Amino acid sequence: MRHPLHVALSVPVGVPAPASVAAPAPAPAPAAAARHRKPRRPSPVRTALAALALVPPAGRLAAGLGAAGVLAATVLTAVVDPAAPVAPDRVPAGQSSTFAQVSGN
């Protein structure tokens, strides 16, 4: 399958190839290859800050308020005990089973 941007070009038969295509590139010197180092990867903090700089201020405000709401809901769920007693048709949470129960019907 051809690439969608592929364009077929015709080359006249009698035209020689350009000199830059015919001559192979020279091999690098061994000393230059020994000095090669891998580029340093950017730190995750710098990457996150760079991504954050691309977000408009209104988007950052909305994300911050959403995160604060999730954190507040999590804290309230963990800290606050419900005021209402357990419903009479339910078993209190401490006595329930984690396994499925076979129905007696």
Side-chain angles (χ1 to χ4, degrees), residues 33-94:
R35 287 183 281 168
H36 176 72
R37 293 183 183 167
K38 292 171 66 174
R40 286 182 50 188
R41 289 181 18 186
S43 71
V45 174
R46 287 184 188 230
T47 305
L49 289 176
L52 187 61
L54 297 175
V55 178
R60 283 183 274 188
L61 176 65
L65 290 175
V70 169
L71 181 63
T74 303
V75 169
L76 286 174
T77 303
V79 172
V80 176
D81 291 327
V86 177
D89 60 338
R90 305 275 180 167
V91 177

Side-chain angles (χ1 to χ4, degrees), residues 9-18:
L9 299 176
S10 61
V11 178
V13 178
V15 178

